[in-house]
Amino acid sequence: MNKTFVAVGYAALLLALIAAPHIGAYPIFMMKLFCFALFACSFNLLFGYTGMLSFGHAAFLGGAAYITGHSLKVWGVPPELGLLLGTAFGALLGLVMGYLAIKRQGIYFTMITLALAQMLYFVWLQAKFTGGEDGLQGVPRGKLLGMLDLSSDLTMYYVTLAIVAVAFLFIMRIVHSPFGHVLHGIKENEPRAISLGYDTNRFKLLVFVLSAALSGLAGALKTLVLGFATLTDVHWAMSGHAVLMTLVGGMGTMLGPLVGAVVVVAIENKVGEWGEWIASLTQIEWFRSLGESVTIVTGLIFVVCVLLFRRGIVGEAIALLQRKR
């Protein structure tokens, strides 16, 4: 019954997203939301289900964004190949970074991923093909499989939705597979998993590569949708965004990162309008500057969630339902 209820819920969500552009939703905003939701889900696979806190995921998102953008703009490859190149780059980079990072645990693992990502940030800053501080601009969308013209926002919307939906199902399959149960065991008690005969480093490296590849897909898709890639995509603050979206929504849950992405992206896009509205009501001019100080609002949301909703929005909702039962 529970599985049926969950399946119906996911089907209803998918139908709502299919209908969204026809009931007033802005396709560009929704596609940006999909990309960040996939980014948060890929991070949640590593942190929420394996207990490995990485601050280097911006390297996968931004690196894949640059590779895809360059391949589409300069090499003129079709969009499906550009997405594959970005995803493959994320996986390869994840293999190298993961091999170096999983030799340590806890805060040392986190600091190694952060240090490696920052090293790559300066590589992207100096590389000529990235455009430096100006970024990589004017990336064409092209035609998918030589048939679908992605210059249409509506066509691009449904392609993006299909890719993200398949990636979400893939993550769900990983989590509920025997491999996923081993990851959960590593998170709860790694010494016990080792005592049962599992090579935990091999499992951790594999999930790190999978998470990196999915983050790369999110970055590649983001470049295809928006038509540019910038240093913001590879900055460590982007990794902080993944942490924020996962914790706000509820780490270790399937829907948590999706909800967290909606909250964070909506705040970043609407906080300026909210500030104007609050300023008009309170006559306090300071609120008009909220659009320029969005980090204050997101930081406040993060503090409130940590203090009052430690399981995140979805985690607290699940706990509430269990208590009622």
Side-chain angles (χ1 to χ4, degrees):
M1 180 63 183
N2 288 336
K3 289 183 179 180
T4 303
F5 178 77
V6 170
V8 170
Y10 283 136
L13 175 61
L14 181 60
L15 289 174
L17 292 175
I18 291 173
H22 303 288
I23 54 177
Y26 185 43
I28 296 294
F29 171 77
M30 293 297 294
M31 287 187 283
K32 180 181 177 182
L33 181 60
F34 292 159
C35 294
F36 278 108
L38 177 56
F39 182 43
C41 286
S42 66
F43 176 80
N44 185 52
L45 178 63
L46 186 68
F47 181 42
Y49 289 101
T50 318
M52 301 165 65
L53 175 59
S54 166
F55 258 100
H57 266 53
F60 313 132
L61 178 86
Y66 277 128
I67 295 299
T68 297
H70 183 76
S71 63
L72 291 173
K73 182 179 180 179
V74 179
W75 298 342
V77 303
E80 62 271 17
L81 182 55
L83 292 174
L84 286 175
L85 287 173
T87 305
F89 178 80
L92 180 60
L93 186 58
L95 178 63
V96 176
M97 286 182 60
Y99 179 78
L100 296 173
I102 63 169
K103 297 179 184 296
R104 295 292 180 266
Q105 297 180 350
I107 190 64
Y108 302 105
F109 168 84
T110 303
M111 289 297 101
I112 289 173
T113 59
L114 176 60
L116 293 172
Q118 283 302 96
M119 288 171 60
L120 288 169
Y121 171 82
F122 289 107
V123 171
W124 299 124
L125 177 62
Q126 298 297 326
K128 292 183 179 180
F129 78 92
T130 65
E133 295 183 354
D134 295 328
L136 185 63
Q137 309 287 340
V139 178
R141 289 181 179 175
K143 292 186 177 181
L144 186 68
L145 301 175
M147 297 181 292
L148 292 176
D149 186 4
L150 300 182
S151 61
S152 167
D153 285 343
L154 191 61
T155 303
M156 186 73 241
Y157 174 87
Y158 287 116
V159 170
T160 303
L161 176 59
I163 292 173
V164 172
V166 170
F168 182 78
L169 290 174
F170 177 62
I171 293 173
M172 185 182 295
R173 182 70 186 94
I174 292 173
V175 169
H176 293 100
S177 68
F179 174 74
H181 295 315
V182 175
L183 297 180
H184 183 73
I186 292 173
K187 176 185 176 183
E188 295 299 323
N189 193 332
E190 185 173 351
R192 177 172 173 78
I194 294 173
S195 70
L196 292 173
Y198 292 107
D199 184 353
T200 57
N201 281 343
R202 184 165 61 90
F203 280 91
K204 289 193 290 185
L205 179 58
L206 181 54
V207 73
F208 195 95
V209 172
L210 288 171
S211 180
L214 290 165
S215 295
L217 176 60
L221 196 58
K222 181 173 176 287
T223 296
L224 185 63
V225 167
L226 301 180
F228 61 84
T230 67
L231 288 175
T232 302
D233 298 328
V234 291
H235 195 263
W236 69 267
M238 185 60 72
S239 299
H241 264 60
V243 177
L244 179 63
M245 289 185 287
T246 302
L247 291 180
V248 168
M251 71 172 187
T253 63
M254 290 302 302
L255 281 178
L258 302 180
V259 174
V262 171
V263 172
V264 173
V265 175
I267 288 174
E268 289 183 344
N269 283 270
K270 298 295 184 180
V271 69
E273 298 177 13
W274 297 342
E276 291 286 342
W277 178 68
I278 296 173
S280 64
L281 290 178
T282 62
Q283 300 302 312
I284 300 176
E285 292 299 314
W286 178 83
F287 285 107
R288 299 187 190 279
S289 65
L290 278 181
E292 303 171 1
S293 308
V294 65
T295 51
I296 296 176
V297 180
T298 54
L300 180 61
I301 295 294
F302 179 71
V303 170
V304 170
C305 283
V306 169
L307 293 178
L308 301 180
F309 307 101
R310 294 194 177 186
R311 299 185 185 92
I313 297 172
V314 174
E316 290 294 340
I318 292 174
L320 180 62
L321 289 173
Q322 289 176 344
R323 284 197 297 269
K324 286 187 175 181
R325 287 179 182 176

